[in-house]
Amino acid sequence: MNYVFQPPTINALPVAGSDVFFPVRRVYCVGRNYAAHAREMGFDPDREPPFFFCKPGDAQSVVAVPSGKKLSIPYPSLTANFHYEVELVVAMGKGGKDIAVDAAASHIYGYAVGLDMTRRDLQIKMREQGRPWEIGKAFDHGAPVGLLHPQVSVGELLNADISLEVNGQVRQQSNLSHLIWSINETIANLSTLFELQPGDLIFSGTPEGVGPVVAGDTMVGRIAGLTPIEVAVV
C-alpha cells in the first residue's frame, strides 16, 4: 500500500519482566472517580454517574516513563496552571461490548502508574463555556505512563495505596478501594458506550490533592505493587 506520507509507528509501552511491548490503541479517562477529589473540584460525588473523556493514544501524548529513570516533559503552552493527577492505568487485553461487571477482570491485561497532566485553567474555561475539554487534557506529553505489569503477575488490583510526591512532599495519598466506581464497574460501564479493544488504556481517576507544578519540579507517582514513575517538568 502506498501512502501520501510515512504513517507513524505504533505507540507501545514496555512490559515488566519481558522484552515485549503493549501497543496502545485508545486512551479513555474517568472523570472525578474519587469522592474527595470530586468535592475539591466543587461537585457532589453521590449524585453523578461516571463520565469519560479521551486523550490521544499516539507517542506524542502517551509517553512511556523508563523504568528506574526520570522522564522530562515540557511545561505546556498557553497555561499558567499545570496540574498533576496520579492514576491507576488499566490496559485492556481483550475487547468487548456490554461487558458484565463480574467478567471485566478477565479482559484486563495489566496495570501501570500514570499521570493525567492537565492544563487546569484551560479545562475550567472550557467547562464553564460548555465546550469540550481537549485543550485542557489532550495535549502533547500529557499522559506519562510507567512500566506495564501483567495482571497474571501482580493479581487484580483492588486495595492498593496510591500517592504522588512533588519535590519529595506528598501531595496525593489514597487507596484504590476509595474509587467511586471500581475498575470492573468502570470497564462494564465504558463498554456500553464503546466497543473496547485490546490495546485500550483506561485512566481510572485521581484522588484528592491535585495541584500545580512548574518548571523545575519533579513528581513521583506510586501505586503499591507497581513500578513507580518519576517525571520532571522542564
Side-chain angles (χ1 to χ4, degrees):
M1 183 180 294
N2 294 321
Y3 297 98
V4 173
F5 55 87
Q6 185 64 31
T9 58
I10 295 173
N11 191 19
L13 299 173
V15 176
S18 73
D19 59 357
V20 302
F21 288 79
F22 180 89
V24 177
R25 179 179 174 266
R26 292 181 181 173
V27 180
Y28 299 99
C29 303
V30 189
R32 296 192 290 268
N33 203 20
Y34 286 81
H37 173 58
R39 293 189 185 99
E40 76 178 351
M41 298 301 291
F43 295 90
D44 184 348
D46 298 325
R47 295 182 179 178
E48 188 167 32
F51 72 94
F52 305 95
F53 59 92
C54 292
K55 285 177 176 272
D58 60 76
Q60 283 291 100
S61 178
V62 178
V63 187
V65 182
S67 179
K69 297 182 180 179
K70 183 188 297 185
L71 172 73
S72 293
I73 61 172
Y75 193 95
S77 62
L78 301 178
T79 183
N81 200 15
F82 186 39
H83 275 211
Y84 54 80
E85 296 187 8
V86 66
E87 308 199 8
L88 174 69
V89 179
V90 180
M92 301 298 291
K94 185 170 68 173
K97 293 177 63 177
D98 300 318
I99 299 169
V101 173
D102 59 3
S106 67
H107 291 251
I108 297 172
Y109 173 78
Y111 308 97
V113 182
L115 293 177
D116 171 17
M117 301 304 296
T118 303
R119 294 192 281 202
R120 188 72 73 199
D121 44 0
L122 301 185
Q123 180 202 18
I124 291 174
K125 182 178 180 180
M126 293 300 99
R127 188 181 73 195
E128 290 174 345
Q129 295 176 352
R131 295 177 179 176
W133 288 5
E134 270 80 0
I135 63 170
K137 290 286 190 178
F139 52 90
D140 290 352
H141 315 288
V145 178
L147 196 62
L148 187 59
H149 290 257
Q151 185 175 228
V152 294
S153 299
V154 297
E156 189 177 354
L157 294 189
L158 301 173
N159 188 25
D161 289 335
I162 178 172
S163 66
L164 182 124
E165 301 169 8
V166 178
N167 301 330
Q169 299 296 314
V170 176
R171 300 290 180 83
Q172 292 184 275
Q173 192 165 32
S174 189
N175 189 281
L176 299 180
S177 64
H178 295 160
L179 285 164
I180 298 172
W181 298 90
S182 71
I183 299 303
N184 292 343
E185 289 171 332
T186 296
I187 292 170
N189 192 290
L190 185 59
S191 72
T192 67
L193 300 168
F194 305 93
E195 181 173 0
L196 300 178
Q197 298 290 345
D200 289 344
L201 299 179
I202 301 173
F203 279 64
S204 58
T206 195
E208 69 276 14
V210 300
V213 284
V214 298
D217 286 344
T218 296
M219 301 165 284
V220 177
R222 306 180 193 275
I223 296 176
L226 304 179
T227 300
I229 60 173
E230 185 173 6
V231 179
V233 182
V234 296

